[in-house]
Amino acid sequence: MDKKVFELETVVLDDANNAVVIIDQTLLPNEVKYLHLTEQADIWEAIYELRVRGAPAIGITAGYGVYLGVKGSQANDFAAFAAEFGAVKKYLASARPTAVNLFWALDKMEACLQANQDKSVAEIKEALRVQSEEIKAEDIRTNLAIGEYGLSLLQPDTGILTHCNAGTLATGKYGTATAPIYLGQERGYNFKVFADETRPLLQGARLTTFELAQAGVDVTLICDNMASTVMRNGWVQAVFVGCDRVAANGDTANKIGTSGVAILAHTYGIPFYVCAPTSTIDMNTATGWDIHIEQRNPEEVYKKWYTQPMAPETGVKFFNPAFDVSDARFITGIITEFGIARPPFTQSLKEIFKKKAEAGY
Ligand code: MRU
């Protein structure tokens, strides 16, 4: 496999220069430009504007961000240091509301802070650095495990449809929904992937086709409204998508348009799999109705990618939710790093977390 795609670093900590380094994903596929973010406001803006995006990558960025946010602290006792930490954490947590990895990573950093409170401030800072690097390392291990479980469900020459980008650009590396595809590519599975363009921000067109083509995967770009046609034509045998938050009952928030794909797959009898690191499963959220769905600037719908507005700017209302919820009843399986949860998810997700605890996490 052409591994160029894995040379891309979605998020890196440049500790020597106090920077989080990201690829500016708003410029892809036309330009690969790395940004060195040193100010908290720039890290926040990069998450908000989707320069770095995808639930796991947002979590990794937040982990590095909160570490850098307190690295320069002059506090010399725990209480003062913890107060500064709390302010940085609160600020970064406000960047985007739906992807639970943002809060998960920040909570992990806070747990590390609390576990080291008897140490000197310098030692706590070092513990936070190590924890932030571990969040990324854990994500990469997780994605490879999801890849193996996902691949175990697939036959060679399968047609796979995916929505948005749950790829290497959305994670530490390998992606979640793309991990089985990359592993299959390495092992000669010859998958045929259909990438939904994913309006309005075109993560499928700009990011998923970019990565898969770089890895030599057979990928076809379709508009979102073509998914039904490729399914009806018999070209798709499985759907693999990522997620931003899975509720305890299996309802899954992912990029807007995913729920329509889930319903289509159900209608055509095509298995619909959600690839979910346990960091994206929120057992404290009972159902999809409890998930806060991010509403974004309406200009993304009719203006952002066009030289001229594609709708009258007056007399028209706009609605731009960034995510939707796929009902658990349309989901065939939730693929985690600790195995594949099957319906009823209320039970099987608990078992996944039991396995995670048994593994010492
Ligand atoms: O708005 P985005 O681009 O951050 O949305 C990303 C998605 O919906 C992904 O599918 C999800 O975060 C999973 S990434 C492994």
Side-chain angles (χ1 to χ4, degrees), residues 87-107:
V88 176
K89 180 184 175 206
K90 191 170 170 205
Y91 177 60
L92 290 177
S94 69
R96 294 189 76 187
T98 305
V100 73
N101 301 61
L102 173 62
F103 312 100
W104 173 87
L106 290 171
D107 285 347

Side-chain angles (χ1 to χ4, degrees), residues 50 53-56 58 96 164-166 170-171 176 203 242-244 254-255 323:
L50 277 62
R53 32 67 51 203
I58 292 171
R96 294 189 76 187
C164 192
N165 173 264
T171 63
T176 58
Q203 289 93 331
C243 51
D244 284 79
N254 190 48
K255 178 52 53 193
F323 302 98

Side-chain angles (χ1 to χ4, degrees), residues 24-303:
D24 185 345
Q25 297 192 33
T26 63
L27 303 178
L28 290 174
N30 299 309
E31 190 183 348
V32 177
K33 181 178 173 189
Y34 285 92
L35 300 177
H36 295 248
L37 311 171
T38 52
E39 302 299 322
Q40 288 296 303
D42 293 337
I43 296 170
W44 189 96
E45 191 268 356
I47 296 172
Y48 179 76
E49 286 295 343
L50 277 62
R51 298 185 197 288
V52 59
R53 32 67 51 203
I58 292 171
I60 296 165
T61 306
Y64 289 152
V66 76
Y67 159 64
L68 291 178
V70 293
K71 184 183 171 190
S73 165
Q74 301 294 316
N76 43 27
D77 65 73
F78 179 76
F81 186 73
E84 281 183 41
F85 181 99
V88 176
K89 180 184 175 206
K90 191 170 170 205
Y91 177 60
L92 290 177
S94 69
R96 294 189 76 187
T98 305
V100 73
N101 301 61
L102 173 62
F103 312 100
W104 173 87
L106 290 171
D107 285 347
K108 250 190 136 71
M109 294 296 284
E110 182 155 26
C112 171
L113 170 84
Q114 296 298 344
N116 287 282
Q117 57 177 288
D118 54 336
K119 308 235 172 82
S120 70
V121 168
E123 286 169 324
I124 300 174
K125 287 179 184 172
E126 176 56 10
L128 289 172
R129 184 193 65 76
V130 171
Q131 176 62 76
S132 69
E133 288 290 23
E134 176 52 22
I135 289 171
K136 179 172 171 181
E138 182 183 331
D139 182 60
I140 295 173
R141 291 194 300 270
T142 292
N143 296 338
L144 286 174
I146 288 174
E148 293 292 353
Y149 282 117
L151 191 59
S152 74
L153 300 165
L154 295 167
Q155 302 298 318
D157 300 313
T158 297
I160 300 170
L161 185 137
T162 190
H163 190 77
C164 192
N165 173 264
T168 210
L169 289 164
T171 63
K173 222 170 261 292
Y174 308 118
T176 58
T178 56
I181 296 169
Y182 287 134
L183 291 180
Q185 175 74 2
E186 215 160 48
R187 297 172 199 175
Y189 273 60
N190 192 32
F191 293 136
K192 309 266 182 286
V193 178
F194 293 90
D196 283 352
E197 65 172 346
T198 317
R199 273 191 44 85
L201 293 182
L202 306 177
Q203 289 93 331
R206 296 186 303 104
L207 310 176
T208 300
T209 64
F210 170 79
E211 338 190 334
L212 293 181
Q214 277 209 359
V217 175
D218 179 323
V219 58
T220 304
L221 174 65
I222 58 170
C223 298
D224 297 331
N225 54 9
M226 298 170 189
S228 176
T229 290
V230 295
M231 288 184 186
R232 189 166 182 274
N233 286 354
W235 297 344
V236 176
Q237 285 76 47
V239 176
F240 276 71
V241 295
C243 51
D244 284 79
R245 192 182 295 240
V246 178
N249 72 342
D251 287 352
T252 293
N254 190 48
K255 178 52 53 193
I256 189 74
T258 305
S259 70
V261 176
I263 294 164
L264 286 175
H266 183 77
T267 303
Y268 286 111
I270 296 167
F272 178 93
Y273 293 106
V274 171
C275 296
T278 52
S279 56
T280 315
I281 302 173
D282 182 1
M283 297 300 273
N284 296 319
T285 292
T287 77
W289 294 108
D290 305 308
I291 300 174
H292 180 168
I293 299 293
E294 176 183 9
Q295 299 292 325
R296 295 188 61 85
N297 188 336
E299 290 194 356
E300 292 178 350
V301 173
Y302 71 98
K303 209 168 177 180

